[in-house]
Amino acid sequence: MMTATQTVSIKDVQEASHLIHEVGRVTPLIQSMFLSRTVTHGDVYLKLENMQLTGSFKFRGAYNKIRHLSDTEKARGVITASAGNHAQGVALTAHLLNIDSTVVMPKTAPLAKQQATSGYGAKVVLAGDTFDESRAFMEQKAKEDGLTIVDPYNDPLVIAGQGSIGLEILDQLWDVDTVIVPVGGGGLITGIATVLKHFDPYIHIVGVQSENVHGMTASLQAGKLTRQCTGPTLADGTAVAMPGNITFGLAEELVDEMVLVSEEEIAEAMKDLLQRTKTVAEGAGALPTAALEAHKIAPQWLAGKKVVALVSGGNVDLERVADNIDHFFKSDPTGHFIG
């Protein structure tokens, strides 16, 4: 019987990396002195996937998947469901490869992500109040119109594309000890973990989710696919109530621990990334920083260690950034948080 880790191999990721870098970027890895000296007493580096094409890591998986489609599948056009970042990855890839694309987004998707997706040439359809409702609509529309589905996470080719980040991390910091990753459906963390555990099984892999939506954490705790959602989250890019069967199986084998953060902790991390490192991060992209600042990860994996925290994306409405700054200014009207 095939194990989960045999669904995506290191060779798959290496091939994906070669394809992605035809057009994609090798994103920077920068040290955060604030997180290193003040928070963890280790060496913390930020992997800036907010500087990838479309402002998110999602371009990688989308590009790898669509590049592997047959001519017949491409000719039918592609469709996906996404809260925004995968949507943009699919839309830009389809534009680059001259393929028609349709993206189903929740009605609550940030306006900036809706506009960016349509700006890349995709037909945007708003359906459902949650990602899961949008996904169900997408599956029905794909069947009715004969479109090719590009799954946002539960696909070996998408997972392999996201895994290219793992190869870059090893190129940039070969002796990394701990890697902290935002988790929604699980494609990102399982792709990265596939690479890191292949080269060094002792690298500690930590996934971070919101307390409000953490399907992967609930599933791993229950030992089976489990739905979990108690409300909206600033980390809309990871608002997946239940992971896929492929990503769940990989996570069971490869991910060392999962931690949860509150909405307040996410907001504070977004503010601190902007203030301290001049990095614009959306809620999902701030999850690893939130886990560090809230001390959700044991010191044994941080103090004196080389740590990579992934900033998975920076696609956030300016209104939300302004509201976040206003919130913290009101909580400290002296303005001491500035500078």
Side-chain angles (χ1 to χ4, degrees), residues 56 62 64 77 107 120 277 288 293 314 321:
S56 164
N64 189 51
K107 297 172 185 175
Y120 289 125
T277 67
E293 292 187 332
V321 174

Side-chain angles (χ1 to χ4, degrees), residues 265-280:
E265 288 162 348
I266 296 170
E268 185 160 3
M270 292 173 69
K271 179 263 294 181
D272 286 342
L273 283 168
L274 182 61
Q275 172 199 347
R276 300 280 187 167
T277 67
K278 318 310 173 196
T279 298
V280 176

Side-chain angles (χ1 to χ4, degrees), residues 79 137-149:
I79 187 170
F137 182 90
M138 177 269 292
E139 290 172 348
Q140 182 61 34
K141 186 170 180 60
K143 186 180 299 183
E144 292 173 354
D145 297 348
L147 303 173
T148 302
I149 293 176

Side-chain angles (χ1 to χ4, degrees), residues 117-135:
T117 302
S118 61
Y120 289 125
K123 177 183 177 182
V124 175
V125 178
L126 299 180
D129 294 322
T130 67
F131 168 77
D132 292 304
E133 291 177 3
S134 297
R135 186 187 186 100

Side-chain angles (χ1 to χ4, degrees), residues 24-280:
R25 297 169 181 159
V26 175
T27 55
L29 186 75
I30 65 167
Q31 186 169 12
S32 167
M33 302 311 296
F34 165 66
L35 291 173
S36 297
R37 295 181 179 179
T38 307
V39 178
T40 67
H41 305 293
D43 294 319
V44 179
Y45 298 82
L46 300 174
K47 179 63 170 167
L48 299 180
E49 279 297 294
N50 59 320
M51 298 184 71
Q52 185 52 263
L53 297 180
T54 74
S56 164
F57 77 96
K58 284 286 193 176
F59 173 77
R60 297 172 183 263
Y63 189 83
N64 189 51
K65 172 64 177 180
I66 295 173
R67 278 284 272 108
H68 277 86
L69 294 179
S70 68
D71 290 341
T72 300
E73 290 171 321
K74 293 175 183 175
R76 294 204 303 258
V78 297
I79 187 170
T80 194
S82 168
N85 286 334
H86 179 67
Q88 293 173 66
V90 169
L92 177 57
T93 298
H95 171 73
L96 292 172
L97 300 179
N98 197 27
I99 300 169
D100 290 334
S101 63
T102 300
V103 174
V104 182
M105 304 179 77
K107 297 172 185 175
T108 55
L111 182 60
K113 293 183 178 181
Q114 295 180 39
Q115 293 174 335
T117 302
S118 61
Y120 289 125
K123 177 183 177 182
V124 175
V125 178
L126 299 180
D129 294 322
T130 67
F131 168 77
D132 292 304
E133 291 177 3
S134 297
R135 186 187 186 100
F137 182 90
M138 177 269 292
E139 290 172 348
Q140 182 61 34
K141 186 170 180 60
K143 186 180 299 183
E144 292 173 354
D145 297 348
L147 303 173
T148 302
I149 293 176
V150 181
D151 193 276
Y153 51 84
N154 200 46
D155 183 299
L157 289 169
V158 172
I159 295 168
Q162 322 305 24
S164 62
I165 297 171
L167 293 175
E168 289 181 20
I169 289 172
L170 291 176
D171 283 342
Q172 294 164 323
L173 191 70
W174 68 270
D175 55 347
V176 60
D177 297 300
T178 301
V179 177
I180 312 168
V181 185
V183 179
L188 176 61
I189 195 169
T190 54
I192 290 174
T194 294
V195 172
L196 299 182
K197 292 293 189 180
H198 173 83
F199 287 102
D200 184 353
Y202 295 104
I203 296 174
H204 193 69
I205 309 293
V206 183
V208 190
Q209 295 192 288
S210 161
E211 291 177 355
N212 286 1
V213 188
H214 53 266
M216 179 65 85
T217 301
S219 296
L220 292 173
Q221 289 174 343
K224 61 180 181 180
L225 288 175
T226 302
R227 187 175 302 276
Q228 191 287 328
C229 178
T230 58
T233 175
L234 284 170
D236 57 271
T238 57
V240 180
M242 187 167 72
N245 62 317
I246 297 174
T247 55
F248 171 67
L250 286 166
E252 276 195 308
E253 292 189 29
L254 298 172
V255 176
D256 295 299
E257 66 171 310
M258 298 288 298
V259 299
L260 304 179
V261 293
S262 70
E263 294 305 300
E264 184 74 8
E265 288 162 348
I266 296 170
E268 185 160 3
M270 292 173 69
K271 179 263 294 181
D272 286 342
L273 283 168
L274 182 61
Q275 172 199 347
R276 300 280 187 167
T277 67
K278 318 310 173 196
T279 298
V280 176

